[in-house]
Amino acid sequence: MSKQGINKRLLTLASFVEPGKVVADIGTDHAYLPIYLVQSGKVSRVIACDINEKPLRVAEKNVISSGLASKIELRLGNGLQVLRPGEVQLAVIAGMGGGTVRQILEASPKVLASLERLVLQPMGDEADLRRWLLDNGWQLTDETLVLEDERLYTVIVSEKGNERIYDPVILEVGPRLIEKKHPLLPDLLNKLTGKYRQVLQGLSQSTKPEARCKLETVKEYLRRLEEVAEKCR
Ligand SMILES: C[S@@+](CC[C@H](N)C(=O)[O-])C[C@H]1O[C@@H](n2cnc3c(N)ncnc32)[C@H](O)[C@@H]1O
């Protein structure tokens, strides 16, 4: 996904890490983010975790060559399960599917409850992830979009709180992105519109009776997306 070293996407994730916090980078892979966070002086301790040995070995090599082995601890294991409650205040979970991010959060309720902030960068299924956060006592503190190598990435920052959003279109686009009229919002809306137009095309060619009903739902969804786009212009 990323070229060698820190990039715009990882720098954006780093910008949501509050100085001085103890951080866990879940699915660290190369450990570029932990290395940047410590080298820049933003934090002094990171627990870099990965479920797979191979990426963790790469992370170890990078951490050792950066001379930060005493500040970046590497742990092998699944999601937040490698942490004890209270060990870190902030977790970054980036570069994996939204469903995987949700499963990671769901699987470790005690560790999750001890966290102050989540910095998430899901690769898809953003609506489901936002819905899960809101249903489980988290609020959407901030959101941003990053365009890198012609790919659009969504970053969601979440903290504990009470927020209710039921509108599926707002949940898919991102309430904070809409509020701040993010400059890359037109790109996101184009992407979503393209996706649903394709769905519509598939449904219009179907002879199944349930396709007609779905077709109307998708048409309405596209109309709502256009409404959001209009508001953000
Ligand atoms: C595409 S890389 C993303 C690396 C880095 N977080 C980034 O954003 O550039 C995804 C990494 O997550 C790891 N991973 C996938 N599922 C995981 C899980 N349940 N717990 C911990 N790590 C996981 C993979 O082994 C892989 O190294």
Side-chain angles (χ1 to χ4, degrees), residues 1 9-10 27-30 50-52 55 77-79 94-96 104:
M1 173 195 289
R9 180 180 60 86
L10 293 171
T28 194
D29 199 350
H30 31 61
D50 208 288
I51 197 170
N52 291 306
N78 191 351
M96 38 191 125
I104 287 174

Side-chain angles (χ1 to χ4, degrees), residues 177-210:
L177 297 174
I178 296 170
E179 277 163 19
K180 62 166 84 157
K181 297 188 182 182
H182 193 284
L184 290 171
L185 198 55
D187 299 56
L188 177 65
L189 291 167
N190 277 341
K191 188 174 119 181
L192 292 174
T193 303
K195 176 177 119 179
Y196 284 104
R197 282 205 180 121
Q198 267 192 340
V199 175
L200 200 66
Q201 205 181 8
L203 287 171
S204 62
Q205 282 160 6
S206 171
T207 51
K208 289 185 185 156
E210 62 267 28

Side-chain angles (χ1 to χ4, degrees), residues 74-138:
L74 297 159
R75 291 190 192 173
L76 178 68
N78 191 351
L80 300 170
Q81 289 170 22
V82 295
L83 302 169
R84 288 182 299 278
E87 237 185 334
V88 306
Q89 290 114 35
L90 186 151
V92 180
I93 312 178
M96 38 191 125
T100 305
V101 176
R102 203 195 60 223
Q103 281 165 17
I104 287 174
L105 299 174
E106 226 163 13
S108 301
K110 285 190 182 144
V111 174
L112 183 64
S114 74
L115 296 173
E116 294 169 7
R117 175 177 274 209
L118 303 168
V119 179
L120 310 173
Q121 183 261 296
M123 306 291 292
D125 290 327
E126 287 82 1
D128 281 348
L129 180 58
R130 288 187 180 100
R131 193 174 292 114
W132 189 90
L133 289 165
L134 300 181
D135 284 348
N136 287 277
W138 293 79

